[in-house]
Amino acid sequence: MKTLIVAATEMEIAASIPALVENRMDYLVTGVGMLATAFSMGQNLRERQFDLLVNVGIAGSFQAQHTLGSLFKVRKDHVYEFGAENDREFIPIDQMGFGSSIYSERLPERPMSAAFYQLPYIDGITVNKVHGSEEGIRRVFEQHGPNTIESMEGAAFFYAAQKHGLPCIQVRSISNWVEKRNVERWNIPLAIKALNEWLIAFAQEHAQK
Ligand SMILES: O=C(O)c1cccc(C(=O)CC[C@H]2O[C@@H](n3cnc4c(=O)[nH]cnc43)[C@H](O)[C@@H]2O)c1
């Protein structure tokens, strides 16, 4: 299966690059955020053919029970607060008739490697602004509950994959809890280490298929 690994920053996948090269797995570094992800994938997928796209990166979790460095597959990803508001409530873009704010994983027909199946699923939101205030976090809880993670790319990745009609999965490693902003409690090195251990195993197992 010809596979493309998609990450926002090189830092997130640097430790896996030798294994990706060795197992002939391509990778794409898009830049951070939905705009950079959609543009970069749009450009690159026009020129090359793939059977599977894999988005990997770090993410924040709204679930206090999650441990930093734990890994999840994202099944469904929402573009957060994409729509309109009136003086009482938020109106999602879906209800306005201008498209969708929800994008999902799509598995290839051929079975995946064990590294994929061993990860638990979670749903995600994709944001332009990392949440860091009690009021903002309360609003996410009201709409999505605490068992949610957030990134700045996930839904855009699924969107671009869907536009190209390609199977796609997203794997995220928790670098921080989404809480009142306190960057000292983030552990990006731990999350990146766990992510790369998984990615190297995935590349090795996947190459054998
Ligand atoms: O604010 C800072 O000082 C700071 C320091 C290091 C990294 C950041 C980021 O915002 C990283 C954004 C990057 O990582 C993903 N990510 C990680 N945690 C979260 C989160 O809680 N909410 C949204 N995105 C997160 C994201 O996908 C970006 O690629 C800030």
Side-chain angles (χ1 to χ4, degrees):
M1 225 180 316
K2 188 110 182 75
T3 301
L4 177 69
I5 305 298
V6 179
T9 63
E10 185 158 339
M11 168 185 85
E12 286 165 295
I13 55 165
S16 300
I17 289 176
L20 297 179
V21 172
E22 192 180 320
N23 293 290
R24 292 203 204 89
M25 211 169 257
D26 288 334
Y27 63 92
L28 173 66
V29 174
T30 59
V32 168
M34 287 185 264
L35 297 180
T37 301
F39 178 76
S40 178
M41 288 179 69
Q43 258 192 334
N44 278 276
L45 294 175
R46 256 205 332 241
E47 296 154 9
R48 298 187 281 164
Q49 298 293 317
F50 293 99
D51 305 309
L52 175 65
L53 309 179
V54 181
N55 186 207
V56 294
I58 58 173
S61 175
F62 290 88
Q63 175 55 266
Q65 285 167 10
H66 285 163
T67 50
L68 300 188
S70 54
L71 298 177
F72 294 92
K73 296 180 289 210
V74 179
R75 194 194 300 271
K76 218 170 13 159
D77 212 318
H78 297 70
V79 183
Y80 186 66
E81 292 198 329
F82 184 26
E85 65 179 357
N86 59 28
D87 57 4
R88 280 171 292 109
E89 62 192 357
F90 173 69
I91 306 159
I93 199 81
D94 317 54
Q95 274 178 40
M96 295 170 71
F98 295 130
S100 177
S101 58
I102 305 174
Y103 296 93
S104 302
E105 167 192 273
R106 189 187 130 200
L107 296 183
E109 281 173 16
R110 284 174 57 181
M112 303 282 288
S113 63
F116 173 79
Y117 293 110
Q118 79 196 16
L119 298 181
Y121 271 116
I122 198 157
D123 285 347
I125 61 172
T126 303
V127 296
N128 285 314
K129 177 180 69 179
V130 175
H131 282 98
S133 73
E134 283 169 1
E135 169 57 19
I137 293 165
R138 188 188 56 75
R139 280 213 307 276
V140 177
F141 266 52
E142 278 174 11
Q143 294 172 43
H144 299 278
N147 213 28
T148 305
I149 66 171
E150 73 171 28
S151 77
M152 302 181 88
E153 299 86 22
F157 164 81
F158 281 154
Y159 170 81
Q162 182 182 307
K163 283 297 214 188
H164 285 88
L166 293 174
C168 51
I169 62 170
Q170 182 186 162
V171 173
R172 293 274 165 184
S173 179
I174 305 304
S175 55
N176 57 286
W177 295 284
V178 183
E179 58 187 5
K180 203 166 145 190
R181 187 173 167 75
N182 182 1
V183 178
E184 285 182 4
R185 270 167 55 86
W186 288 38
N187 196 338
I188 292 177
L190 176 70
I192 289 181
K193 183 169 180 288
L195 181 67
N196 281 274
E197 282 167 7
W198 179 85
L199 184 54
I200 291 167
F202 178 80
Q204 288 167 347
E205 287 177 16
H206 210 69
Q208 289 159 21
K209 291 214 158 261

